[in-house]
């Protein structure tokens, strides 16, 4: 089955620890994205990548880092510099064709204690 | 600054009612407007609109775009409890060589039996 997987589904960490969220896709999509969603709010773009070994900051990149060493994988690290990391994190992918849609993974809910 | 505004933020109706959700936007390099339904996890795609005045329909759901007035509406007729969800509007635009989505805050729709 083609799709996007994220792991883990729920993640708990102590304040001050870095944590890495996994995102894998087998849709052969070139572009991948990370969003953050807070209660009662829409999605805000953290980082995105259009090709392997290249990525750009989104609207709220501070305190986060990413890598894109493989086309299928786009892990997100939430660092200790992120002031308020507790949120729901969504990964998405798309082709880079005009007027295409993004497909979303199931999300990871991160809680920092 | 690019922005997407949805209204109302929350709506509670009875099963069988018809609802209209609104989405207005101000973005540069508009490509398309998308509607998603989110039921606790990943948003699922509903519609993509690129042309003004052409209604898209899927069962009891329909949507239309007005590119002159910069808004879209999502209609749901004969609502059912399974329609309860957060409905997200997003505008796809071309920014710094990449496709990017700007999301609204979402409308939380609750259908009471």
């Amino acid at each position: 089955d083609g799709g996007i997987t994220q792991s883990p589904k729920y993640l708990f960490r102590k304040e001050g620890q870095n944590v890495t969220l996994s995102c894998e896709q087998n849709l052969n999509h070139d572009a991948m994205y990370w969003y953050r969603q807070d209660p009662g709010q829409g999605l805000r773009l953290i980082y995105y990548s259009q090709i392997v070994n290249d990525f750009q900051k989104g609207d709220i990149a501070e305190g986060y880092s990413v890598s894109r060493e493989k086309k299928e994988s786009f892990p997100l690290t939430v660092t200790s510099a992120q002031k308020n990391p507790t949120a729901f994190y969504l990964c998405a992918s798309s082709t880079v064709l005009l007027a295409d849609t993004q497909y979303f993974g199931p999300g990871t809910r991160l809680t920092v204690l | 600054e690019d922005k997407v505004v949805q209204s109302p933020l929350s709506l509670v109706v009875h099963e069988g009612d018809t609802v209209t959700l609104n989405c207005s936007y101000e973005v540069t390099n508009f490509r398309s407007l998308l509607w998603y339904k989110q039921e606790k996890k990943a948003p699922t795609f509903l519609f993509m609109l690129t042309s003004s005045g052409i209604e898209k329909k899927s069962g009891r759901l329909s949507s239309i775009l007005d590119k002159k007035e910069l808004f879209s509406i999502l209609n749901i007729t004969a609502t059912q409890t399974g329609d309860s969800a957060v409905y997200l509007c997003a505008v796809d635009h071309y920014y710094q060589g990449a496709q990017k989505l700007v999301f609204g805050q979402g409308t939380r729709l609750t259908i009471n039996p």
Side-chain angles (χ1 to χ4, degrees):
Chain A
D1 283 327
I4 304 174
T5 57
Q6 291 184 241
S7 61
K9 192 174 178 179
Y10 299 96
L11 190 55
F12 297 88
R13 279 294 181 269
K14 291 183 179 179
E15 197 171 326
Q17 290 181 331
N18 290 357
V19 61
T20 297
L21 282 57
S22 166
C23 177
E24 305 275 333
Q25 54 97 2
N26 61 5
L27 300 167
N28 200 33
H29 285 167
D30 291 303
M32 297 187 74
Y33 309 79
W34 274 105
Y35 294 92
R36 169 184 172 136
Q37 188 176 31
D38 293 286
Q41 295 194 33
L43 281 61
R44 292 184 290 167
L45 183 64
I46 305 173
Y47 268 98
Y48 61 101
S49 166
Q50 283 200 291
I51 57 172
V52 174
N53 292 323
D54 187 52
F55 48 83
Q56 284 78 40
K57 293 181 179 180
D59 301 317
I60 55 165
E62 186 174 348
Y64 299 97
S65 66
V66 293
S67 63
R68 187 86 187 275
E69 296 176 3
K70 298 186 299 182
K71 186 175 183 178
E72 303 79 20
S73 178
F74 191 41
L76 173 74
T77 297
V78 184
T79 75
S80 56
Q82 168 51 232
K83 300 299 179 193
N84 187 17
T86 294
F88 186 52
Y89 290 88
L90 284 160
C91 178
S93 71
S94 71
T95 67
V96 291
L97 295 174
L98 187 67
D100 195 25
T101 58
Q102 290 185 11
Y103 296 88
F104 288 85
T108 293
R109 188 167 299 280
L110 172 65
T111 302
V112 175
L113 307 170
Chain B
E1 182 186 338
D2 297 322
K3 63 179 179 180
V4 176
V5 178
Q6 292 185 243
S7 64
L9 294 181
S10 180
L11 185 58
V12 181
V13 300
H14 287 107
E15 202 167 20
D17 288 350
T18 293
V19 298
T20 298
L21 310 184
N22 304 298
C23 176
S24 64
Y25 63 91
E26 289 179 37
V27 299
T28 53
N29 301 318
F30 173 92
R31 300 203 312 180
S32 63
L33 185 144
L34 301 100
W35 285 96
Y36 289 88
K37 178 181 182 181
Q38 187 177 26
E39 295 176 89
K40 294 184 184 179
K41 292 186 180 179
T44 53
F45 171 77
L46 293 175
F47 296 111
M48 180 172 67
L49 304 158
T50 55
S51 302
S52 266
I54 299 175
E55 185 182 49
K56 294 250 178 137
K57 282 184 71 82
S58 177
R60 296 176 294 102
L61 278 67
S62 64
S63 183
I64 196 161
L65 173 68
D66 186 328
K67 290 169 75 173
K68 182 180 177 185
E69 299 298 329
L70 306 183
F71 79 87
S72 173
I73 60 172
L74 175 68
N75 277 322
I76 308 175
T77 60
T79 52
Q80 302 171 357
T81 55
D83 295 327
S84 295
V86 174
Y87 289 84
L88 295 168
C89 172
V91 173
D92 171 17
H93 70 140
Y94 205 66
Y95 179 74
Q96 293 183 342
Q99 175 211 19
K100 288 180 67 178
L101 292 182
V102 180
F103 282 84
Q105 323 94 298
T107 293
R108 181 173 295 279
L109 177 63
T110 303
I111 310 296
N112 289 325

